[in-house]
Structures are given as structure tokens and as C-alpha cells.
Amino acid sequence: MFRVLGRNALRTQGMQSLRWASVSGIQGIERITYVKKIKMNGEACKKCGEVTERLEKADQFKQIDEVLIADERDESSAGMAIAQKHSVERAPFFRCGKSRWIC
């Protein structure tokens, strides 16, 4: 369903081409979702903050269609539900797909 690009491919193609695919429907990508984590103590995940900062610094955050929070204190939070559904154990993570998440 998804085409996985290696780290070098992402560097050479850049997020702009991924967004172009998102807008145009090429490769079946219509939506990019970014999932960030809030830890048990209520603090934001350090790595999530770093990724968000990089996206903003590179002016790529506007390419994200939706941001969900995986709150470790609330197993029913949207981000936690998506992580469980797709067996993702670490955040942040991205999901590129055809439509809005359906749990």
C-alpha cells in the first residue's frame, strides 16, 4: 500500500515531492499525518520536539495535513489508538495514506 523510501531517497527527493504526491494523489497518498507523544509525566517527547523544530525550520510543517497526539496518560487518545492499530511502539511517526484515519 505504501512505498517506503530509504533515508537517502528522502534527502534527495525532499518533503516537497511527498507533499506533491499528497496533493495530486500520485502513489495513492492523499493525506500526511504526524503523530507526536506526550509522556506519562505530561511533558512533550524530546524527539518529537526536535522533529517538529526541523519541520518548521525547513518550512515543511505546512505539508502536514493532520497532527495527532499520542498521550501515554490516555490510552484512548487518537495518537495512541493509531499507534496500537498499526503496532507502532515509538513516536514521533508519520502516516501517509488515502484518507483520514479510521479506527
Side-chain angles (χ1 to χ4, degrees):
M1 181 174 176
F2 305 111
R3 184 175 80 143
V4 178
L5 299 174
R7 200 174 277 208
N8 290 335
L10 287 175
R11 285 189 188 128
T12 57
Q13 291 182 353
M15 287 293 286
Q16 194 63 275
S17 62
L18 290 178
R19 178 58 177 164
W20 179 75
S22 174
V23 171
S24 69
I26 295 189
Q27 301 279 333
I29 298 174
E30 295 176 4
R31 182 172 201 80
I32 299 173
T33 302
Y34 171 41
V35 181
K36 333 195 286 185
K37 177 172 68 173
I38 301 292
K39 297 190 294 186
M40 276 293 207
N41 63 6
E43 293 180 12
C45 161
K46 181 180 176 184
K47 185 67 172 182
C48 296
E50 292 170 359
V51 169
T52 300
E53 185 178 317
R54 284 183 182 183
L55 288 169
E56 289 172 346
K57 188 175 182 178
D59 198 31
Q60 294 175 336
F61 199 80
K62 63 186 176 191
Q63 309 300 328
I64 307 298
D65 296 300
E66 180 177 34
V67 177
L68 298 178
I69 303 297
D71 191 335
E72 290 183 338
R73 302 166 298 174
D74 179 10
E75 289 292 319
S76 65
S77 66
M80 291 296 279
I82 297 307
Q84 284 180 330
K85 179 178 179 180
H86 297 284
S87 302
V88 176
E89 296 180 4
R90 295 180 184 236
F93 64 93
F94 295 87
R95 195 276 189 174
C96 301
K98 285 194 164 208
S99 62
R100 187 165 171 72
W101 289 96
I102 300 173
C103 291

